[in-house]
Amino acid sequence: AQSVTQLGSHVSVSEGALVLLRCNYSSSVPPYLFWYVQYPNQGLQLLLKYTSAATLVKGINGFEAEFKKSETSFHLTKPSAHMSDAAEYFCAVSIMNRDDKIIFGKGTRLHILP
Amino acid sequence: NAGVMQNPRHLVRRRGQEARLRCSPMKGHSHVYWYRQLPEEGLKFMVYLQKENIIDESGMPKERFSAEFPKEGPSILRIQQVVRGDSAAYFCASSASAGNMDEQYFGPGTRLTVT
């Protein structure tokens, strides 16, 4: 079975500082991996996804994530935080070539300090 | 091109009543997914439907919950005899085709409160 663990339910960084949100996955078969962002009272928006091509994936809003099979990790980073990045971030996994569910982590709420 | 639409955005029901949540997928999308988000939790998959068919309902509670996606009209998630534990945000997503290479687009959610 697939699962996702996000380390830290809340992360605070200063504006302009590096953002690092951690995600580890468990999957017995090659996974697809996703990061979604959820702003207050809104639905989820896809930030980026890994689909077995390049291990370093670039997404929207300056975010990127690196797939590391040896560490079973897919951490999300951004070099310089902006106030507008304050939101909840979800890491998710699904199985290649399956056509249904995505398994989500519990989420990390990112706070940006002025 | 309108995105995924859900209504109502907020729904309040008393214990024992029925809740009906509607989801209109993006234009051209025939695959619909329902997820539930409990407070302080991630989204949990409930059901995957294509037009007139339930493909995977492994995440649906065995009782009181049902879903449909008729040939015409929106997808409906129906919860009968609601209880306090049903209070959550319910999100619908749609995609153009099967296979998870195709992005699932999420609606804004319906926040159900059971009093």
Side-chain angles (χ1 to χ4, degrees):
Chain A
Q2 287 66 42
S3 66
V4 170
T5 302
Q6 291 184 242
L7 299 175
S9 57
H10 293 266
V11 170
S12 295
V13 301
S14 298
E15 191 175 16
L18 171 71
V19 175
L20 171 60
L21 303 182
R22 298 178 187 275
C23 172
N24 288 91
Y25 70 92
S26 172
S27 178
S28 57
V29 296
Y32 288 157
L33 293 159
F34 309 82
W35 275 100
Y36 284 86
V37 61
Q38 184 181 28
Y39 296 102
N41 298 315
Q42 295 187 25
L44 274 68
Q45 181 182 3
L46 182 68
L47 272 179
L48 48 81
K49 64 181 178 184
Y50 165 76
T51 56
S52 80
T55 56
L56 182 63
V57 182
K58 293 189 184 297
I60 62 171
N61 301 339
F63 284 93
E64 62 182 37
E66 186 171 9
F67 172 69
K68 290 188 177 180
K69 186 178 179 180
S70 61
E71 299 177 9
T72 61
S73 69
F74 191 58
H75 302 329
L76 181 71
T77 60
K78 181 174 179 177
S80 177
H82 193 272
M83 294 300 289
S84 61
D85 294 328
E88 186 133 27
Y89 293 79
F90 293 94
C91 183
V93 63
S94 67
I95 307 171
M96 287 187 180
N97 301 319
R98 279 286 301 275
D99 55 4
D100 56 10
K101 54 182 161 287
I102 297 174
I103 311 297
F104 286 87
K106 291 190 175 183
T108 298
R109 187 168 296 279
L110 177 62
H111 304 272
I112 309 298
L113 307 173
Chain B
N1 185 14
V4 178
M5 298 176 68
Q6 291 188 248
N7 68 82
R9 294 291 307 275
H10 300 273
L11 181 61
V12 179
R13 284 287 178 266
R14 283 197 285 270
R15 279 180 297 171
Q17 291 185 320
E18 179 180 285
R20 280 183 179 244
L21 288 62
R22 293 175 186 77
C23 169
S24 296
M26 284 182 70
K27 188 176 180 180
H29 287 191
S30 59
H31 301 254
V32 166
Y33 313 79
W34 285 94
Y35 296 84
R36 176 165 65 176
Q37 183 180 30
L38 294 168
E40 305 300 320
E41 295 280 332
L43 277 72
K44 296 277 196 294
F45 169 82
M46 299 181 75
V47 63
Y48 162 43
L49 311 102
Q50 293 178 29
K51 282 286 187 182
E52 300 185 277
N53 290 305
I54 296 175
I55 307 303
D56 181 350
E57 57 181 346
S58 59
M60 287 280 270
K62 293 286 185 276
E63 297 176 344
R64 301 187 297 106
F65 284 72
S66 63
E68 62 177 12
F69 188 16
K71 188 176 179 182
E72 302 290 338
S75 175
I76 306 285
L77 179 67
R78 182 179 175 209
I79 311 172
Q80 295 178 290
Q81 299 175 318
V82 295
V83 301
R84 288 226 172 96
D86 297 333
S87 296
Y90 292 83
F91 289 94
C92 167
S94 72
S95 66
S97 61
N100 45 32
M101 284 292 291
D102 202 22
E103 180 180 343
Q104 291 185 19
Y105 290 83
F106 283 79
T110 293
R111 278 153 183 83
L112 172 66
T113 302
V114 179
T115 61

